[in-house]
Amino acid sequence: DQQVKQNSPSLSVQEGRISILNCDYTNSMFDYFLWYKKYPAEGPTFLISISSIKDKNEDGRFTVFLNKSAKHLSLHIVPSQPGDSAVYFCAARPTGANSKLTFGKGITLSVRP
Amino acid sequence: KAGVTQTPRYLIKTRGQQVTLSCSPISGHRSVSWYQQTPGQGLQFLFEYFSETQRNKGNFPGRFSGRQFSNSRSEMNVSTLELGDSALYLCASSPAPAGGNEKLFFGSGTQLSVL
């Protein structure tokens, strides 16, 4: 059972425009959410996170929005740059010290120059 | 500060063999987690070790095992390899047990191919 779903496997946007990457989850116990970015031949690197007590967190060009009632979060990248082309993983974990991180399958973002 | 180091970078094995992968966490990090990445399944959690103790385990068969040493370095072992074990194995470390607001720092992975 896929508890974190990234239903769109890929997204292509023009440089300078907004990229919106979506993620849905089913486990209502999830209360901390993260986005990781992965380039080929490298490990994932942390991008941005959000706690369930917030509905928005911003870091430079990256903003994550959380809609708890819809069990949905999205990552906005504005403006998109060619260097943003990578695989983006959404991840979530429930409350508790012994909680594991559950990842989605990832979205491949291509930013066209 | 050096990042998470995984060795070897690439590995080719045949069905039935066993394999050991190694992970050295960031200095000072005591938690090590292992993930399997395949094109169709994304990142799947294998297990997490903290202070030489397994804290959490994913839904993988007993052929997958791991351990952590007193210097926080970790190894994972896969016995009786199957074709479906071909994947990128990623190791991640964090200062404290993975949970709460802890962020994971990943290595570049070991690409395992089973022929």
Side-chain angles (χ1 to χ4, degrees), chain B residues 1 11-12 17-18 23 25 43 46 53-54 61 64-65 70 72-74 79 82 85 93 97:
Chain B
K1 197 185 251 191
L11 206 48
I12 299 176
Q17 287 187 308
Q18 69 95 25
C23 172
L43 274 71
L46 282 154
T53 301
Q54 187 180 87
F64 292 81
S65 63
S70 58
S72 295
R73 190 178 71 84
S74 176
S79 62
E82 299 177 0
D85 296 333
S93 75

Side-chain angles (χ1 to χ4, degrees), chain A residues 13-70:
Chain A
V13 300
Q14 191 75 38
E15 180 179 5
R17 306 294 291 267
I18 184 171
S19 294
I20 300 177
L21 290 74
N22 293 307
C23 178
D24 297 291
Y25 60 97
T26 58
N27 189 340
S28 57
M29 298 302 293
F30 286 152
D31 71 347
Y32 191 66
F33 305 88
L34 307 90
W35 284 91
Y36 280 82
K37 179 169 74 172
K38 184 180 185 301
Y39 293 117
E42 295 182 13
T45 54
F46 169 76
L47 192 56
I48 193 169
S49 63
I50 189 167
S51 165
S52 61
I53 61 173
K54 292 185 172 183
D55 53 19
K56 176 183 173 182
N57 188 27
E58 193 171 351
D59 183 2
R61 297 186 297 115
F62 303 91
T63 302
V64 57
F65 295 92
L66 175 62
N67 183 334
K68 291 185 289 293
S69 61

